[in-house]
mmCIF file of all heavy atoms in Angstrom:
data_model
loop_
_atom_site.group_PDB
_atom_site.id
_atom_site.type_symbol
_atom_site.label_atom_id
_atom_site.label_comp_id
_atom_site.label_asym_id
_atom_site.label_seq_id
_atom_site.Cartn_x
_atom_site.Cartn_y
_atom_site.Cartn_z
ATOM 1 N N ARG A 1 -66.266 51.930 36.671
ATOM 2 C CA ARG A 1 -65.917 52.501 37.979
ATOM 3 C C ARG A 1 -66.198 53.996 37.957
ATOM 4 O O ARG A 1 -66.687 54.517 36.960
ATOM 5 C CB ARG A 1 -64.460 52.206 38.293
ATOM 6 C CG ARG A 1 -64.209 50.695 38.467
ATOM 7 C CD ARG A 1 -62.786 50.391 38.782
ATOM 8 N NE ARG A 1 -61.994 50.634 37.573
ATOM 9 C CZ ARG A 1 -60.751 50.260 37.411
ATOM 10 N NH1 ARG A 1 -60.110 49.661 38.367
ATOM 11 N NH2 ARG A 1 -60.106 50.501 36.291
ATOM 12 N N ALA A 2 -65.870 54.678 39.002
ATOM 13 C CA ALA A 2 -66.195 56.101 39.120
ATOM 14 C C ALA A 2 -65.562 56.954 38.023
ATOM 15 O O ALA A 2 -66.184 57.896 37.528
ATOM 16 C CB ALA A 2 -65.766 56.623 40.494
ATOM 17 N N ALA A 3 -64.343 56.624 37.632
ATOM 18 C CA ALA A 3 -63.634 57.451 36.658
ATOM 19 C C ALA A 3 -63.055 56.647 35.499
ATOM 20 O O ALA A 3 -62.269 57.169 34.717
ATOM 21 C CB ALA A 3 -62.505 58.211 37.356
ATOM 22 N N ALA A 4 -63.442 55.390 35.372
ATOM 23 C CA ALA A 4 -62.859 54.547 34.326
ATOM 24 C C ALA A 4 -63.799 53.404 33.980
ATOM 25 O O ALA A 4 -64.723 53.089 34.728
ATOM 26 C CB ALA A 4 -61.524 53.985 34.805
ATOM 27 N N PHE A 5 -63.519 52.789 32.837
ATOM 28 C CA PHE A 5 -64.242 51.575 32.452
ATOM 29 C C PHE A 5 -63.313 50.670 31.667
ATOM 30 O O PHE A 5 -62.316 51.118 31.105
ATOM 31 C CB PHE A 5 -65.529 51.884 31.689
ATOM 32 C CG PHE A 5 -65.347 52.664 30.414
ATOM 33 C CD1 PHE A 5 -65.250 52.006 29.200
ATOM 34 C CD2 PHE A 5 -65.307 54.054 30.430
ATOM 35 C CE1 PHE A 5 -65.103 52.715 28.021
ATOM 36 C CE2 PHE A 5 -65.164 54.774 29.256
ATOM 37 C CZ PHE A 5 -65.064 54.110 28.052
ATOM 38 N N THR A 6 -63.649 49.386 31.669
ATOM 39 C CA THR A 6 -62.843 48.378 30.992
ATOM 40 C C THR A 6 -63.650 47.771 29.858
ATOM 41 O O THR A 6 -64.822 47.420 30.040
ATOM 42 C CB THR A 6 -62.424 47.268 31.980
ATOM 43 O OG1 THR A 6 -61.721 47.870 33.063
ATOM 44 C CG2 THR A 6 -61.531 46.240 31.302
ATOM 45 N N LEU A 7 -63.008 47.649 28.706
ATOM 46 C CA LEU A 7 -63.607 47.002 27.551
ATOM 47 C C LEU A 7 -62.961 45.648 27.327
ATOM 48 O O LEU A 7 -61.739 45.516 27.419
ATOM 49 C CB LEU A 7 -63.381 47.831 26.283
ATOM 50 C CG LEU A 7 -64.030 49.196 26.198
ATOM 51 C CD1 LEU A 7 -63.583 49.896 24.918
ATOM 52 C CD2 LEU A 7 -65.538 49.069 26.225
ATOM 53 N N GLU A 8 -63.768 44.654 27.019
ATOM 54 C CA GLU A 8 -63.264 43.362 26.553
ATOM 55 C C GLU A 8 -63.514 43.332 25.057
ATOM 56 O O GLU A 8 -64.624 43.649 24.594
ATOM 57 C CB GLU A 8 -63.981 42.217 27.256
ATOM 58 C CG GLU A 8 -63.605 42.126 28.718
ATOM 59 C CD GLU A 8 -64.314 41.001 29.445
ATOM 60 O OE1 GLU A 8 -65.294 40.431 28.905
ATOM 61 O OE2 GLU A 8 -63.900 40.709 30.572
ATOM 62 N N CYS A 9 -62.498 42.967 24.292
ATOM 63 C CA CYS A 9 -62.550 43.090 22.841
ATOM 64 C C CYS A 9 -62.100 41.809 22.159
ATOM 65 O O CYS A 9 -61.260 41.076 22.691
ATOM 66 C CB CYS A 9 -61.630 44.215 22.370
ATOM 67 S SG CYS A 9 -61.719 45.730 23.331
ATOM 68 N N GLU A 10 -62.649 41.590 20.985
ATOM 69 C CA GLU A 10 -62.224 40.486 20.118
ATOM 70 C C GLU A 10 -62.217 40.981 18.687
ATOM 71 O O GLU A 10 -63.079 41.775 18.299
ATOM 72 C CB GLU A 10 -63.197 39.316 20.165
ATOM 73 C CG GLU A 10 -63.184 38.481 21.386
ATOM 74 C CD GLU A 10 -64.124 37.286 21.230
ATOM 75 O OE1 GLU A 10 -65.113 37.362 20.482
ATOM 76 O OE2 GLU A 10 -63.832 36.272 21.876
ATOM 77 N N ILE A 11 -61.265 40.497 17.925
ATOM 78 C CA ILE A 11 -61.296 40.655 16.474
ATOM 79 C C ILE A 11 -61.488 39.255 15.929
ATOM 80 O O ILE A 11 -60.692 38.358 16.212
ATOM 81 C CB ILE A 11 -60.017 41.313 15.934
ATOM 82 C CG1 ILE A 11 -59.888 42.736 16.494
ATOM 83 C CG2 ILE A 11 -60.025 41.323 14.399
ATOM 84 C CD1 ILE A 11 -58.626 43.461 16.077
ATOM 85 N N ARG A 12 -62.575 39.075 15.159
ATOM 86 C CA ARG A 12 -62.937 37.719 14.753
ATOM 87 C C ARG A 12 -63.752 37.731 13.472
ATOM 88 O O ARG A 12 -64.211 38.772 13.020
ATOM 89 C CB ARG A 12 -63.682 37.008 15.872
ATOM 90 C CG ARG A 12 -65.007 37.649 16.283
ATOM 91 C CD ARG A 12 -65.806 36.809 17.280
ATOM 92 N NE ARG A 12 -66.087 35.517 16.711
ATOM 93 C CZ ARG A 12 -65.639 34.342 17.217
ATOM 94 N NH1 ARG A 12 -64.949 34.329 18.322
ATOM 95 N NH2 ARG A 12 -65.919 33.206 16.632
ATOM 96 N N ASP A 13 -63.946 36.546 12.942
ATOM 97 C CA ASP A 13 -64.924 36.327 11.886
ATOM 98 C C ASP A 13 -65.784 35.153 12.341
ATOM 99 O O ASP A 13 -65.740 34.777 13.522
ATOM 100 C CB ASP A 13 -64.270 36.108 10.515
ATOM 101 C CG ASP A 13 -63.306 34.934 10.476
ATOM 102 O OD1 ASP A 13 -63.422 33.989 11.298
ATOM 103 O OD2 ASP A 13 -62.411 34.939 9.600
ATOM 104 N N GLU A 14 -66.542 34.573 11.450
ATOM 105 C CA GLU A 14 -67.435 33.480 11.858
ATOM 106 C C GLU A 14 -66.684 32.222 12.268
ATOM 107 O O GLU A 14 -67.203 31.408 13.027
ATOM 108 C CB GLU A 14 -68.426 33.174 10.736
ATOM 109 C CG GLU A 14 -69.429 34.290 10.531
ATOM 110 C CD GLU A 14 -70.453 33.955 9.470
ATOM 111 O OE1 GLU A 14 -70.540 32.785 9.048
ATOM 112 O OE2 GLU A 14 -71.174 34.878 9.066
ATOM 113 N N GLU A 15 -65.451 32.065 11.781
ATOM 114 C CA GLU A 15 -64.697 30.842 12.061
ATOM 115 C C GLU A 15 -63.601 30.986 13.111
ATOM 116 O O GLU A 15 -63.337 30.043 13.850
ATOM 117 C CB GLU A 15 -64.046 30.330 10.767
ATOM 118 C CG GLU A 15 -65.041 29.912 9.715
ATOM 119 C CD GLU A 15 -64.345 29.444 8.450
ATOM 120 O OE1 GLU A 15 -63.251 28.850 8.557
ATOM 121 O OE2 GLU A 15 -64.892 29.679 7.365
ATOM 122 N N HIS A 16 -62.960 32.154 13.172
ATOM 123 C CA HIS A 16 -61.761 32.272 14.001
ATOM 124 C C HIS A 16 -61.745 33.564 14.807
ATOM 125 O O HIS A 16 -62.293 34.576 14.395
ATOM 126 C CB HIS A 16 -60.501 32.250 13.126
ATOM 127 C CG HIS A 16 -60.378 31.052 12.260
ATOM 128 N ND1 HIS A 16 -60.156 29.791 12.751
ATOM 129 C CD2 HIS A 16 -60.468 30.911 10.921
ATOM 130 C CE1 HIS A 16 -60.099 28.929 11.765
ATOM 131 N NE2 HIS A 16 -60.298 29.576 10.630
ATOM 132 N N THR A 17 -61.054 33.495 15.932
ATOM 133 C CA THR A 17 -60.720 34.682 16.713
ATOM 134 C C THR A 17 -59.247 34.978 16.460
ATOM 135 O O THR A 17 -58.395 34.098 16.600
ATOM 136 C CB THR A 17 -60.960 34.436 18.216
ATOM 137 O OG1 THR A 17 -62.355 34.148 18.398
ATOM 138 C CG2 THR A 17 -60.571 35.645 19.045
ATOM 139 N N TYR A 18 -58.951 36.217 16.094
ATOM 140 C CA TYR A 18 -57.588 36.616 15.755
ATOM 141 C C TYR A 18 -56.902 37.362 16.898
ATOM 142 O O TYR A 18 -55.686 37.345 17.013
ATOM 143 C CB TYR A 18 -57.591 37.479 14.494
ATOM 144 C CG TYR A 18 -58.188 36.745 13.326
ATOM 145 C CD1 TYR A 18 -59.532 36.898 12.997
ATOM 146 C CD2 TYR A 18 -57.421 35.856 12.587
ATOM 147 C CE1 TYR A 18 -60.098 36.186 11.944
ATOM 148 C CE2 TYR A 18 -57.983 35.142 11.531
ATOM 149 C CZ TYR A 18 -59.314 35.309 11.221
ATOM 150 O OH TYR A 18 -59.871 34.597 10.187
ATOM 151 N N LEU A 19 -57.710 37.994 17.735
ATOM 152 C CA LEU A 19 -57.163 38.784 18.829
ATOM 153 C C LEU A 19 -58.191 38.878 19.942
ATOM 154 O O LEU A 19 -59.387 39.014 19.677
ATOM 155 C CB LEU A 19 -56.846 40.215 18.331
ATOM 156 C CG LEU A 19 -56.399 41.186 19.421
ATOM 157 C CD1 LEU A 19 -54.896 41.343 19.369
ATOM 158 C CD2 LEU A 19 -57.074 42.524 19.271
ATOM 159 N N THR A 20 -57.719 38.787 21.174
ATOM 160 C CA THR A 20 -58.526 39.172 22.330
ATOM 161 C C THR A 20 -57.771 40.304 23.013
ATOM 162 O O THR A 20 -56.527 40.341 22.992
ATOM 163 C CB THR A 20 -58.768 38.006 23.316
ATOM 164 O OG1 THR A 20 -57.507 37.511 23.768
ATOM 165 C CG2 THR A 20 -59.557 36.895 22.652
ATOM 166 N N ALA A 21 -58.495 41.235 23.580
ATOM 167 C CA ALA A 21 -57.844 42.395 24.189
ATOM 168 C C ALA A 21 -58.684 42.912 25.342
ATOM 169 O O ALA A 21 -59.895 42.666 25.424
ATOM 170 C CB ALA A 21 -57.648 43.501 23.157
ATOM 171 N N GLU A 22 -58.018 43.624 26.216
ATOM 172 C CA GLU A 22 -58.688 44.324 27.311
ATOM 173 C C GLU A 22 -58.139 45.740 27.332
ATOM 174 O O GLU A 22 -56.917 45.936 27.250
ATOM 175 C CB GLU A 22 -58.427 43.621 28.637
ATOM 176 C CG GLU A 22 -59.247 44.200 29.772
ATOM 177 C CD GLU A 22 -59.119 43.384 31.033
ATOM 178 O OE1 GLU A 22 -59.780 42.340 31.133
ATOM 179 O OE2 GLU A 22 -58.331 43.806 31.897
ATOM 180 N N THR A 23 -59.042 46.711 27.396
ATOM 181 C CA THR A 23 -58.653 48.115 27.345
ATOM 182 C C THR A 23 -59.249 48.844 28.544
ATOM 183 O O THR A 23 -60.463 48.784 28.761
ATOM 184 C CB THR A 23 -59.144 48.775 26.036
ATOM 185 O OG1 THR A 23 -58.692 48.001 24.926
ATOM 186 C CG2 THR A 23 -58.632 50.191 25.911
ATOM 187 N N LEU A 24 -58.398 49.528 29.302
ATOM 188 C CA LEU A 24 -58.841 50.373 30.413
ATOM 189 C C LEU A 24 -58.867 51.807 29.917
ATOM 190 O O LEU A 24 -57.852 52.334 29.436
ATOM 191 C CB LEU A 24 -57.896 50.244 31.606
ATOM 192 C CG LEU A 24 -58.189 51.172 32.783
ATOM 193 C CD1 LEU A 24 -59.545 50.851 33.404
ATOM 194 C CD2 LEU A 24 -57.074 51.095 33.812
ATOM 195 N N ILE A 25 -60.030 52.429 30.018
ATOM 196 C CA ILE A 25 -60.212 53.802 29.566
ATOM 197 C C ILE A 25 -60.585 54.671 30.751
ATOM 198 O O ILE A 25 -61.465 54.303 31.546
ATOM 199 C CB ILE A 25 -61.297 53.875 28.474
ATOM 200 C CG1 ILE A 25 -60.848 53.021 27.291
ATOM 201 C CG2 ILE A 25 -61.567 55.313 28.069
ATOM 202 C CD1 ILE A 25 -61.815 52.954 26.161
ATOM 203 N N VAL A 26 -59.914 55.804 30.881
ATOM 204 C CA VAL A 26 -60.217 56.730 31.976
ATOM 205 C C VAL A 26 -60.885 57.982 31.419
ATOM 206 O O VAL A 26 -60.574 58.434 30.316
ATOM 207 C CB VAL A 26 -58.957 57.124 32.789
ATOM 208 C CG1 VAL A 26 -58.362 55.923 33.479
ATOM 209 C CG2 VAL A 26 -57.926 57.795 31.923
ATOM 210 N N ALA A 27 -61.818 58.508 32.186
ATOM 211 C CA ALA A 27 -62.423 59.791 31.864
ATOM 212 C C ALA A 27 -61.391 60.860 32.213
ATOM 213 O O ALA A 27 -60.765 60.799 33.276
ATOM 214 C CB ALA A 27 -63.707 59.980 32.680
ATOM 215 N N PHE A 28 -61.195 61.818 31.317
ATOM 216 C CA PHE A 28 -60.091 62.757 31.506
ATOM 217 C C PHE A 28 -60.488 64.167 31.112
ATOM 218 O O PHE A 28 -61.171 64.383 30.109
ATOM 219 C CB PHE A 28 -58.882 62.306 30.663
ATOM 220 C CG PHE A 28 -57.578 62.821 31.159
ATOM 221 C CD1 PHE A 28 -56.934 62.200 32.218
ATOM 222 C CD2 PHE A 28 -56.990 63.924 30.582
ATOM 223 C CE1 PHE A 28 -55.718 62.671 32.694
ATOM 224 C CE2 PHE A 28 -55.772 64.408 31.050
ATOM 225 C CZ PHE A 28 -55.135 63.781 32.103
ATOM 226 N N ASP A 29 -60.063 65.124 31.923
ATOM 227 C CA ASP A 29 -60.246 66.544 31.664
ATOM 228 C C ASP A 29 -58.919 67.052 31.106
ATOM 229 O O ASP A 29 -57.944 67.219 31.851
ATOM 230 C CB ASP A 29 -60.616 67.259 32.966
ATOM 231 C CG ASP A 29 -60.834 68.750 32.796
ATOM 232 O OD1 ASP A 29 -60.248 69.360 31.868
ATOM 233 O OD2 ASP A 29 -61.582 69.325 33.610
ATOM 234 N N LEU A 30 -58.862 67.258 29.788
ATOM 235 C CA LEU A 30 -57.619 67.699 29.155
ATOM 236 C C LEU A 30 -57.257 69.132 29.540
ATOM 237 O O LEU A 30 -56.084 69.471 29.613
ATOM 238 C CB LEU A 30 -57.727 67.578 27.631
ATOM 239 C CG LEU A 30 -57.814 66.158 27.089
ATOM 240 C CD1 LEU A 30 -58.210 66.170 25.616
ATOM 241 C CD2 LEU A 30 -56.497 65.439 27.275
ATOM 242 N N ALA A 31 -58.260 69.977 29.786
ATOM 243 C CA ALA A 31 -57.992 71.366 30.167
ATOM 244 C C ALA A 31 -57.292 71.441 31.519
ATOM 245 O O ALA A 31 -56.376 72.245 31.712
ATOM 246 C CB ALA A 31 -59.287 72.170 30.185
ATOM 247 N N MET A 32 -57.702 70.591 32.461
ATOM 248 C CA MET A 32 -57.100 70.574 33.797
ATOM 249 C C MET A 32 -55.982 69.535 33.912
ATOM 250 O O MET A 32 -55.313 69.459 34.937
ATOM 251 C CB MET A 32 -58.179 70.289 34.852
ATOM 252 C CG MET A 32 -59.284 71.327 34.903
ATOM 253 S SD MET A 32 -58.694 72.940 35.428
ATOM 254 C CE MET A 32 -58.401 72.618 37.146
ATOM 255 N N ASN A 33 -55.838 68.690 32.881
ATOM 256 C CA ASN A 33 -54.823 67.640 32.857
ATOM 257 C C ASN A 33 -54.956 66.687 34.046
ATOM 258 O O ASN A 33 -53.993 66.404 34.753
ATOM 259 C CB ASN A 33 -53.410 68.233 32.785
ATOM 260 C CG ASN A 33 -52.395 67.205 32.353
ATOM 261 O OD1 ASN A 33 -52.703 66.324 31.550
ATOM 262 N ND2 ASN A 33 -51.197 67.295 32.885
ATOM 263 N N ARG A 34 -56.201 66.190 34.228
ATOM 264 C CA ARG A 34 -56.436 65.268 35.339
ATOM 265 C C ARG A 34 -57.612 64.346 35.038
ATOM 266 O O ARG A 34 -58.462 64.636 34.204
ATOM 267 C CB ARG A 34 -56.675 66.011 36.641
ATOM 268 C CG ARG A 34 -57.912 66.871 36.656
ATOM 269 C CD ARG A 34 -58.082 67.603 37.993
ATOM 270 N NE ARG A 34 -59.150 68.562 37.941
ATOM 271 C CZ ARG A 34 -60.426 68.289 38.200
ATOM 272 N NH1 ARG A 34 -60.791 67.083 38.558
ATOM 273 N NH2 ARG A 34 -61.342 69.226 38.131
ATOM 274 N N VAL A 35 -57.623 63.242 35.753
ATOM 275 C CA VAL A 35 -58.731 62.297 35.670
ATOM 276 C C VAL A 35 -59.980 62.969 36.236
ATOM 277 O O VAL A 35 -59.907 63.781 37.164
ATOM 278 C CB VAL A 35 -58.384 61.010 36.461
ATOM 279 C CG1 VAL A 35 -59.565 60.067 36.533
ATOM 280 C CG2 VAL A 35 -57.180 60.321 35.835
ATOM 281 N N ARG A 36 -61.125 62.638 35.687
ATOM 282 C CA ARG A 36 -62.410 63.168 36.167
ATOM 283 C C ARG A 36 -63.370 62.002 36.377
ATOM 284 O O ARG A 36 -63.125 60.890 35.948
ATOM 285 C CB ARG A 36 -62.991 64.150 35.150
ATOM 286 C CG ARG A 36 -63.335 63.475 33.835
ATOM 287 C CD ARG A 36 -64.026 64.419 32.855
ATOM 288 N NE ARG A 36 -64.323 63.732 31.615
ATOM 289 C CZ ARG A 36 -65.379 62.963 31.398
ATOM 290 N NH1 ARG A 36 -66.283 62.772 32.349
ATOM 291 N NH2 ARG A 36 -65.569 62.358 30.236
ATOM 292 N N ARG A 37 -64.459 62.266 37.032
ATOM 293 C CA ARG A 37 -65.489 61.241 37.239
ATOM 294 C C ARG A 37 -66.357 61.128 35.986
ATOM 295 O O ARG A 37 -66.581 62.098 35.270
ATOM 296 C CB ARG A 37 -66.364 61.604 38.443
ATOM 297 C CG ARG A 37 -65.607 61.577 39.762
ATOM 298 C CD ARG A 37 -66.503 61.915 40.929
ATOM 299 N NE ARG A 37 -67.456 60.866 41.228
ATOM 300 C CZ ARG A 37 -67.199 59.781 41.952
ATOM 301 N NH1 ARG A 37 -65.992 59.582 42.430
ATOM 302 N NH2 ARG A 37 -68.136 58.893 42.193
ATOM 303 N N LEU A 38 -66.843 59.922 35.739
ATOM 304 C CA LEU A 38 -67.810 59.714 34.669
ATOM 305 C C LEU A 38 -69.124 60.402 35.044
ATOM 306 O O LEU A 38 -69.522 60.389 36.218
ATOM 307 C CB LEU A 38 -68.074 58.222 34.467
ATOM 308 C CG LEU A 38 -66.932 57.417 33.845
ATOM 309 C CD1 LEU A 38 -67.160 55.930 34.046
ATOM 310 C CD2 LEU A 38 -66.789 57.746 32.373
ATOM 311 N N THR A 39 -69.803 60.973 34.066
ATOM 312 C CA THR A 39 -71.102 61.590 34.325
ATOM 313 C C THR A 39 -72.186 60.506 34.321
ATOM 314 O O THR A 39 -71.977 59.400 33.809
ATOM 315 C CB THR A 39 -71.445 62.635 33.241
ATOM 316 O OG1 THR A 39 -71.632 61.962 31.994
ATOM 317 C CG2 THR A 39 -70.352 63.698 33.128
ATOM 318 N N ASP A 40 -73.338 60.829 34.845
ATOM 319 C CA ASP A 40 -74.465 59.884 34.828
ATOM 320 C C ASP A 40 -74.835 59.507 33.395
ATOM 321 O O ASP A 40 -75.140 58.352 33.109
ATOM 322 C CB ASP A 40 -75.679 60.471 35.550
ATOM 323 C CG ASP A 40 -75.471 60.579 37.050
ATOM 324 O OD1 ASP A 40 -74.583 59.881 37.588
ATOM 325 O OD2 ASP A 40 -76.201 61.362 37.689
ATOM 326 N N GLY A 41 -74.805 60.479 32.491
ATOM 327 C CA GLY A 41 -75.120 60.208 31.091
ATOM 328 C C GLY A 41 -74.107 59.262 30.451
ATOM 329 O O GLY A 41 -74.479 58.384 29.668
ATOM 330 N N GLU A 42 -72.845 59.421 30.777
ATOM 331 C CA GLU A 42 -71.815 58.526 30.254
ATOM 332 C C GLU A 42 -72.002 57.106 30.784
ATOM 333 O O GLU A 42 -71.899 56.131 30.043
ATOM 334 C CB GLU A 42 -70.428 59.057 30.614
ATOM 335 C CG GLU A 42 -70.063 60.320 29.861
ATOM 336 C CD GLU A 42 -68.854 61.045 30.409
ATOM 337 O OE1 GLU A 42 -68.475 60.826 31.589
ATOM 338 O OE2 GLU A 42 -68.272 61.847 29.663
ATOM 339 N N ILE A 43 -72.334 57.007 32.061
ATOM 340 C CA ILE A 43 -72.562 55.685 32.657
ATOM 341 C C ILE A 43 -73.762 55.011 32.003
ATOM 342 O O ILE A 43 -73.724 53.817 31.693
ATOM 343 C CB ILE A 43 -72.724 55.796 34.183
ATOM 344 C CG1 ILE A 43 -71.380 56.215 34.815
ATOM 345 C CG2 ILE A 43 -73.240 54.487 34.784
ATOM 346 C CD1 ILE A 43 -71.463 56.610 36.266
#
């Protein structure tokens, strides 16, 4: 999305899946303490 992305994750080996997860990550400007838009290069 404009300021965030979602990861789908698995921890596994060839035989079994041990964990499935979903992670929402936001682009953030720590200096201004606010969410920012993703850059074209990041996208």
Side-chain angles (χ1 to χ4, degrees):
R1 295 180 289 192
F5 59 95
T6 303
L7 295 175
E8 290 179 347
C9 316
E10 286 185 332
I11 297 177
R12 62 173 301 117
D13 58 24
E14 291 183 12
E15 296 179 34
H16 304 292
T17 299
Y18 301 95
L19 174 102
T20 58
E22 188 172 281
T23 307
L24 175 64
I25 299 178
V26 296
F28 203 81
D29 180 333
L30 293 168
M32 299 295 288
N33 197 34
R34 64 181 172 88
V35 174
R36 64 175 180 83
R37 294 181 71 82
L38 289 165
T39 66
D40 290 340
E42 290 167 340
I43 292 169

